[in-house]
């Protein structure tokens, strides 16, 4: 698979790079960003953490605003940030910000017209890691984290595939999408009206019945404007209590839904993952 390097920036002794490639899973051209820490300069393989961004974001938001590179470089961790959805002139879209391009929701769509391109679940779980691990000096040790819609995606990926990830964390995740407007809109469009199919993409439902446990960390701002109607962390807490899941959920007074919040606690998340990646 050919990669086109579209941008390079040196950062904390390492490199933050952006690439474009053709995705067979999504049937379109895709982009991703990768931060390679300085330890990779001599070919040393390092573990990788996948970051999934939220609604309206691209592969660039986290790398520019998240403030992760300094700690990632010190720990010797690569970070990969894919785009949030398929892109292109022939890719289905919607006029609203919470459906279509920028809002792939990390599911495998089964409904037309979305099912031609919107298979972000398979892309993040299979195609992208295979590409990363065969192209860059990274090991097969992986963790995953994300924000909002991406926090939903990260939790679902880890809960459904505990053998693939050492740890999972999220900032302000959409924790119970079957019971919030963002989730109901996206899941209806992408998966259809049969709500039984939605459960495979709901972190609270998955956590309640989990029997293989991936250590999980969640940070939620108490001043988040989407807290009550869209995010529903209380559903995730109840699920963890019911199943005995190793979830640590921090409620952060005064913090909102922005990257100011993410940048404030990103190093805590990287240290959490480093502990489970045996660094």
């Amino acid at each position: 698979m050919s990669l086109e390097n579209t941008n390079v920036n040196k950062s904390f002794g390492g490199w933050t790079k952006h690439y474009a490639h053709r995705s067979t899973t999504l049937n379109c051209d895709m982009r991703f960003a990768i931060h390679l820490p300085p330890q990779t300069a001599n070919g040393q393989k390092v573990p990788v953490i996948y970051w999934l961004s939220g609604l309206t974001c691209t592969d660039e938001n986290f790398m520019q605003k998240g403030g992760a590179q300094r700690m990632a470089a010190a720990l010797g961790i690569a970070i990969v940030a894919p785009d949030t959805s398929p892109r292109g002139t022939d890719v289905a879209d919607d006029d609203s910000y919470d459906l279509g391009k920028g809002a792939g929701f990390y599911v495998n769509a089964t409904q037309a017209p979305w099912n031609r391109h919107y298979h972000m679940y398979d892309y993040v779980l299979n195609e992208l890691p295979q590409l990363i691990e065969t192209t860059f000096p990274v090991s097969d040790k992986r963790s995953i984290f994300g924000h909002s819609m991406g926090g939903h995606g990260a939790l679902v990926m880890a809960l459904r595939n505990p053998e693939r990830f050492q740890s999972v964390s999220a900032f302000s995740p959409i924790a119970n999408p079957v019971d919030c407007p963002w989730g109901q809109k996206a899941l209806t469009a992408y998966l259809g009206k049969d709500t039984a199919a939605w459960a495979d993409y709901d972190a609270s439902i998955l956590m309640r019945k989990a029997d293989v446990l991936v250590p999980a960390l969640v940070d939620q701002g108490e001043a988040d404007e989407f807290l009550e109607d869209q995010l529903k962390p209380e559903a995730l807490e109840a699920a963890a209590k019911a199943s005995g899941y190793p979830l640590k959920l921090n409620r952060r007074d005064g913090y909102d839904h922005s990257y100011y919040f993410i940048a404030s606690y990103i190093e805590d998340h990287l240290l959490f993952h480093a502990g489970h990646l045996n660094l």
Side-chain angles (χ1 to χ4, degrees), residues 140-201:
D140 60 359
K141 291 284 189 181
R142 311 175 202 94
S143 290
I144 191 166
F145 61 165
H147 170 232
S148 194
M149 178 185 71
H152 138 79
L155 289 166
V156 167
M157 294 280 175
L159 287 162
R160 288 179 59 175
N161 306 277
E163 74 286 354
R164 300 288 296 275
F165 301 101
Q166 304 299 307
S167 51
V168 59
S169 71
F171 292 88
S172 315
I174 303 173
N176 193 199
V178 304
D179 191 33
C180 77
W182 278 341
Q184 291 168 347
K185 180 176 181 177
L187 296 176
T188 299
Y190 297 142
L191 304 178
K193 295 181 180 180
D194 180 5
T195 57
W198 300 3
D200 285 342
Y201 296 103

Side-chain angles (χ1 to χ4, degrees), residues 49-215:
I49 309 177
Y50 291 85
W51 170 269
L52 305 184
S53 291
L55 287 166
T56 75
C57 291
T58 70
D59 55 303
E60 296 185 359
N61 295 73
F62 176 75
M63 291 300 184
Q64 293 181 359
K65 300 177 182 180
Q69 285 93 334
R70 186 192 72 83
M71 182 60 75
L75 293 170
I77 297 174
I79 301 176
V80 173
D83 201 349
T84 51
S85 69
R87 309 275 181 174
T89 56
D90 63 337
V91 173
D93 199 11
D94 190 86
D95 290 337
S96 57
Y97 76 96
D98 53 358
L99 188 66
K101 296 176 186 178
F105 238 80
Y106 305 103
V107 304
N108 288 337
T110 59
Q111 305 299 301
W114 313 102
N115 56 352
R116 183 163 178 246
H117 297 285
Y118 284 74
H119 296 117
M120 287 297 295
Y121 179 88
D122 280 351
Y123 175 73
V124 171
L125 183 66
N126 296 314
E127 184 179 7
L128 185 60
Q130 182 179 12
L131 174 61
I132 297 299
E133 291 168 20
T134 57
T135 306
F136 301 100
V138 302
S139 70
D140 60 359
K141 291 284 189 181
R142 311 175 202 94
S143 290
I144 191 166
F145 61 165
H147 170 232
S148 194
M149 178 185 71
H152 138 79
L155 289 166
V156 167
M157 294 280 175
L159 287 162
R160 288 179 59 175
N161 306 277
E163 74 286 354
R164 300 288 296 275
F165 301 101
Q166 304 299 307
S167 51
V168 59
S169 71
F171 292 88
S172 315
I174 303 173
N176 193 199
V178 304
D179 191 33
C180 77
W182 278 341
Q184 291 168 347
K185 180 176 181 177
L187 296 176
T188 299
Y190 297 142
L191 304 178
K193 295 181 180 180
D194 180 5
T195 57
W198 300 3
D200 285 342
Y201 296 103
D202 187 295
S204 294
I205 293 173
L206 293 169
M207 188 171 284
R208 184 173 289 273
K209 62 182 182 181
D211 52 10
V212 181
L213 311 179
V214 179

